[in-house]
Amino acid sequence: ILCSRRLSSRLSQQKSSGAVVFIKDKEIKYLILQYGLGHWDFSRGLVEKDETEEEAALREIKEETNLNVKIISGFKEKTNFFFREKGELISKEVVYFLAETNNEKVKLSYEHLNYSWLNYEDALKQLTFKNVKEIIKKANNFLNNSLINY
């Protein structure tokens, strides 16, 4: 028993990648997803072996929403947090890109309960975690200050 406790308390590391997905119509709207545990976040998932962070983000968005997106260059933010899974403490780094789509028709994967396209203020209120709220603030500032005409 003592050995298994020591093994389960070792810190594992995971790396995920995703994106703040937006669409520009009359205003910019952001896509947020409700995960199975109830929290609201952006599309993201584990980076697989021999896959770049951008490739992982594009794959996860396609798998989770069925959307085709274009990564906007110049935006890349990271968050770090800890969680427990099956008694094991895991350190997780998530890399977020900014991605544009021209299609609002989302087809959710089994991983999610719901989704919303929301303007910045409403998305900021709906997102669950502080670190993700910081990501959307940076994404929104990037879009508002970008040389790209958004």
Side-chain angles (χ1 to χ4, degrees), residues 34-87:
Q34 186 180 29
Y35 283 72
L37 295 174
H39 66 280
W40 290 84
D41 199 341
F42 303 111
S43 178
R44 62 180 169 86
L46 292 174
V47 177
E48 295 178 356
K49 186 179 177 188
D50 299 325
E51 187 176 49
T52 68
E53 294 168 344
E54 280 193 21
E55 288 169 342
L58 292 170
R59 177 184 49 76
E60 286 292 334
I61 293 163
K62 185 66 175 174
E63 288 175 5
E64 294 178 354
T65 67
N66 201 39
L67 291 175
N68 292 313
V69 300
K70 176 187 167 215
I71 299 284
I72 304 298
S73 63
F75 184 90
K76 181 179 177 182
E77 292 291 332
K78 296 180 183 181
T79 64
N80 294 282
F81 58 91
F82 297 93
F83 70 98
R84 284 203 178 273
E85 186 175 73
K86 299 176 183 169

Side-chain angles (χ1 to χ4, degrees), residues 5-23:
R5 281 191 185 155
R6 284 189 185 144
L7 288 174
S8 67
S9 66
R10 289 189 0 207
L11 190 62
S12 292
Q13 299 197 352
Q14 286 185 0
K15 185 168 196 172
S16 286
S17 188
V20 178
V21 176
F22 72 97
I23 191 166

Side-chain angles (χ1 to χ4, degrees), residues 1-142:
I1 295 175
L2 205 54
C3 288
S4 66
R5 281 191 185 155
R6 284 189 185 144
L7 288 174
S8 67
S9 66
R10 289 189 0 207
L11 190 62
S12 292
Q13 299 197 352
Q14 286 185 0
K15 185 168 196 172
S16 286
S17 188
V20 178
V21 176
F22 72 97
I23 191 166
K24 175 75 167 80
D25 191 13
K26 294 174 185 162
E27 65 179 338
I28 295 172
K29 291 192 277 183
Y30 298 96
L31 176 64
I32 59 172
L33 306 175
Q34 186 180 29
Y35 283 72
L37 295 174
H39 66 280
W40 290 84
D41 199 341
F42 303 111
S43 178
R44 62 180 169 86
L46 292 174
V47 177
E48 295 178 356
K49 186 179 177 188
D50 299 325
E51 187 176 49
T52 68
E53 294 168 344
E54 280 193 21
E55 288 169 342
L58 292 170
R59 177 184 49 76
E60 286 292 334
I61 293 163
K62 185 66 175 174
E63 288 175 5
E64 294 178 354
T65 67
N66 201 39
L67 291 175
N68 292 313
V69 300
K70 176 187 167 215
I71 299 284
I72 304 298
S73 63
F75 184 90
K76 181 179 177 182
E77 292 291 332
K78 296 180 183 181
T79 64
N80 294 282
F81 58 91
F82 297 93
F83 70 98
R84 284 203 178 273
E85 186 175 73
K86 299 176 183 169
E88 184 177 15
L89 184 61
I90 298 172
S91 171
K92 185 159 198 158
E93 177 183 81
V94 183
V95 176
Y96 288 102
F97 296 97
L98 187 58
E100 184 175 20
T101 186
N102 58 6
N103 181 7
E104 281 190 6
K105 294 178 183 166
V106 172
K107 183 179 176 190
L108 284 180
S109 73
Y110 68 92
E111 298 175 68
H112 303 287
L113 302 174
N114 205 351
Y115 72 93
S116 289
W117 286 102
L118 300 171
N119 66 29
Y120 169 70
E121 292 80 14
D122 291 338
L124 189 59
K125 290 177 196 169
Q126 187 70 40
L127 288 165
T128 304
F129 300 117
K130 183 180 177 185
N131 59 352
V132 181
K133 290 177 188 261
E134 290 302 315
I135 297 294
I136 198 172
K137 286 177 187 176
K138 291 176 181 180
N140 196 63
N141 286 338
F142 180 89

